[in-house]
Every structure is written in structure tokens, then in C-alpha cells.
Amino acid sequence: DENGIGIDTNPESTVLGVASDTVSVANGLHALMTQGGVRIDKAAVDDTPGVQPSLSLVTSHNSNSPGPELDLRRISTTPAANDTLGRLNFIGRNSAGEDHLYAQINTKIRTATNGDEDGSIAFRASRQGTAINFLEFDMDGGSPGNGEVCINTGGLDVDFRVLGDDTTHLIHADA
């Protein structure tokens, strides 16, 4: 609703509209709006395999339009190179019961100049407890129109391998 977080109680979809700080509960789903963002979780977490996801984005359009879509939008009055646009963190527990960042997808503005906008996306994974870039698509190669795809951007001792339909080492580079 316009005064807070509205939750559609239809089990097929959950729709959120945020206007102010509030807490709503429907069908075991908690939604909390804070100055830092929105937190959505289930009242009781069930780790059983096959349990429904905590958040689903669903569209029921009967057309060729894309959907569902998720926009991660950064609105800044002073956009600049290397501003982080959005980040997806994949966090799980380690053997000590502590939260650990196991993987991450990070996006940045590389060039914010109107008409010459460039961006990058980096994929990180944890290796021996530290998140390391292992794949990056960077569209800013020093001048507009240049770019690169870089594998093993963390510079670790990581082999590169491409599999074929009947071979495990169609292309192989031993680091």
C-alpha cells in the first residue's frame, strides 16, 4: 500500500511497494523497510531440499515481452568511473558456523560520460577464504569502444580448460 510495504497474499507472487519504514507479515513472509534497504525473509527458515525459494519474481504476461526483470539502479547526482552499480553476494556458513562470502557478482561504471558510457562486471569466488576475481568483462580499454574479457584477473595459479563434446581438454592452459 502507499503507506508502507504491500504484500500480495497470492501464493503465486509477492509484490513489494516501499514508501516508509514498516514491518508486514503475510503467509510467513516478513518484509522490513529500513534506511539501508528492504529485507525480505521467511518467518521460519526451512533448509530442506525442494523447499520453495524465499523470493520469486514472477510475470504472467502473455506476450513476447521480457520478464520478469530485476533492476538494480544506482541514482547518483555525481556518477563517476569505478562507482559500484550493484553487487550480488552469495553467503553461506563455514564449518565454524560463521557467515562467509563464497561468491560475488560485482558491476561498476567504467566511464560515465554521456554517449561514451562503459561498464564492467566481475565474477568472484572464494579461494582459501579470500574472494578473488576470476572472470571480468570490462568495456573500458582506455578509450571508448575498447574492452576486454579477462580470465583469472586475480592472478592465481588457476588452470584454464575448455571441454569438447567428447574430450575434457579441447583447449587447456596450465597456469
Side-chain angles (χ1 to χ4, degrees), residues 23-144:
V23 177
S24 296
V25 179
N27 296 336
L29 185 69
H30 290 215
L32 172 65
M33 174 60 188
T34 66
Q35 288 184 345
V38 178
R39 177 184 170 142
I40 304 168
D41 59 23
K42 289 186 177 182
V45 176
D46 187 349
D47 294 330
T48 307
V51 173
Q52 296 299 314
S54 298
L55 175 65
S56 294
L57 302 177
V58 178
T59 185
S60 59
H61 293 225
N62 292 324
S63 69
N64 65 351
S65 64
E69 288 186 21
L70 174 64
D71 287 347
L72 302 177
R73 186 179 313 245
R74 180 180 181 139
I75 299 174
S76 171
T77 58
T78 58
N82 295 317
D83 281 358
T84 297
L85 290 171
R87 183 177 290 155
L88 296 177
N89 295 320
F90 300 87
I91 300 169
R93 295 277 168 103
N94 62 19
S95 62
E98 303 163 333
D99 284 350
H100 179 75
L101 176 68
Y102 283 93
Q104 181 180 76
I105 302 171
N106 190 30
T107 60
K108 289 186 175 187
I109 293 174
R110 299 300 287 159
T111 304
T113 304
N114 185 28
D116 288 331
E117 297 91 341
D118 294 322
S120 70
I121 184 167
F123 296 82
R124 299 168 59 94
S126 183
R127 173 134 185 205
Q128 298 176 338
T130 302
I132 304 293
N133 280 14
F134 67 89
L135 177 62
E136 187 170 353
F137 299 89
D138 189 347
M139 295 311 296
D140 179 34
S143 62

Side-chain angles (χ1 to χ4, degrees), residues 158-162 169 171-175:
V158 176
D159 294 349
F160 175 77
R161 185 168 53 115
V162 176
H169 290 75
I171 299 172
H172 182 247
D174 187 349

